[in-house]
Amino acid sequence: MPTALITGATAGLGAAFARRLAADGLSLVLVARDEARLTASAAELRKRYGVAVEVLPADLSLDEGIRRVEERLERGVDLLVNNAGFGHPGAFLEVPVADEVTMLRVHCEAVLRLTLAALPGMRSRGRGYVINVASVAAFFTRGTYSASKAWVVNFSESAAAEIPEPNVRVMALCPGFVRTEFHQRAAMDTSGIPDFLWLSADQVVDEAMRDLARGRRVSVPTARYKAIVSVGRFVPRTLIGQVSGRLGRR
């Protein structure tokens, strides 16, 4: 039975990936900090889909937490979804440096180390997939969050380019605004974001899985966000920074 390991698995895109992959018949390894919520999510998935679900409590902002997940990945999985992440409740110059470093550890160091822990087994078996959840913010300028997600995109593309096995794939997933707990947790005011820019978590996951099957190295769900990213490449970076700095937060 193929196995998928998902970080940040109890809410938002992580929970949507868990539902989709369980519906597809994969066994799951769910990773998150909140053990009680993790256990409840696992029980619901087992009951609804009849699949094996393992829980792995781990805080990816800590070296110990990353090591725990690395050890599980070294035992072998077929799909790794690096989804854990968060936003800051404040602009770049307002955020304590310790919080910025924590973001880099979760968004960059954990993604690097977990990807490298999973790939050797995948390559030896000649099959396996890694989805690193980035963001449309990666293509714009918005503090450490967008900078860290730009790293995820570049890293994923670079890793994919160096893997000779055709059935071992690494893909960066770059969604736009998704209706999850993310913005509430980051204390972001989303009242100024137009309705047409919002996506559902299930929609994002469905498009991600299609793009992964097609061998895409970067997935930008929906035509509207593909257009936004394309236009953004031709807009001066200073203007992009001014606009993105105002959008979604007052």
Side-chain angles (χ1 to χ4, degrees):
M1 181 73 68
T3 300
L5 185 147
I6 307 163
T7 69
T10 57
L13 285 176
F17 268 110
R19 292 192 298 270
R20 164 63 190 266
L21 297 172
D24 288 345
L26 277 72
S27 299
L28 302 178
V29 182
L30 306 183
V31 178
R33 292 182 301 171
D34 188 333
E35 185 170 1
R37 192 172 183 183
L38 199 58
T39 300
S41 296
E44 175 62 25
L45 290 164
R46 292 188 195 104
K47 179 179 179 180
R48 182 173 180 181
Y49 299 103
V51 298
V53 185
E54 176 184 344
V55 297
L56 180 54
D59 184 344
L60 298 182
S61 70
L62 303 175
D63 186 70
E64 176 187 2
I66 298 175
R67 282 203 310 271
R68 291 191 69 197
V69 185
E70 284 177 317
E71 290 169 1
R72 178 60 184 84
L73 289 169
E74 288 164 359
R75 288 161 46 197
V77 300
D78 301 279
L79 170 62
L80 165 63
V81 181
N82 277 314
N83 169 72
F86 63 94
H88 286 313
F92 171 62
L93 295 177
E94 301 169 354
V95 178
V97 67
D99 293 347
E100 296 283 22
V101 172
T102 296
M103 176 174 282
L104 291 176
R105 169 158 278 194
V106 174
H107 289 184
C108 300
E109 181 183 345
V111 169
L112 168 70
R113 289 173 57 178
L114 300 187
T115 299
L116 289 175
L119 282 176
M122 293 177 178
R123 294 188 63 194
S124 68
R125 295 188 298 274
R127 187 176 185 84
Y129 309 95
V130 178
I131 298 175
N132 293 325
V133 178
S135 170
V136 162
F139 305 103
F140 299 91
T141 51
R142 181 85 178 273
T144 304
Y145 182 83
S146 66
S148 65
K149 293 303 187 179
W151 182 90
V152 171
V153 174
N154 193 307
F155 166 70
S156 300
E157 290 186 286
S158 299
E162 294 192 24
I163 298 172
E165 294 83 3
N167 291 319
V168 179
R169 301 172 187 171
V170 179
M171 183 184 79
L173 171 60
C174 301
F177 292 109
V178 185
R179 294 196 184 280
T180 67
E181 298 175 10
F182 176 89
H183 300 93
Q184 288 80 4
R185 289 184 174 184
M188 292 182 180
D189 176 7
T190 60
S191 61
I193 300 172
D195 287 343
F196 76 91
L197 287 179
W198 287 102
L199 308 176
S200 74
D202 291 333
Q203 177 185 16
V204 170
V205 169
D206 287 346
E207 294 211 24
M209 296 306 294
R210 282 197 294 270
D211 284 345
L212 185 67
R214 293 167 179 160
R216 302 271 173 83
R217 293 180 179 179
V218 178
S219 171
V220 180
T222 75
R224 78 199 77 157
Y225 276 107
K226 287 181 175 67
I228 289 170
V229 169
S230 296
V231 170
R233 297 182 189 276
F234 300 99
V235 177
R237 303 288 285 181
T238 53
L239 178 59
I240 289 175
Q242 292 170 6
V243 173
S244 63
R246 296 191 185 109
L247 186 60
R249 193 195 302 275
R250 290 179 180 174

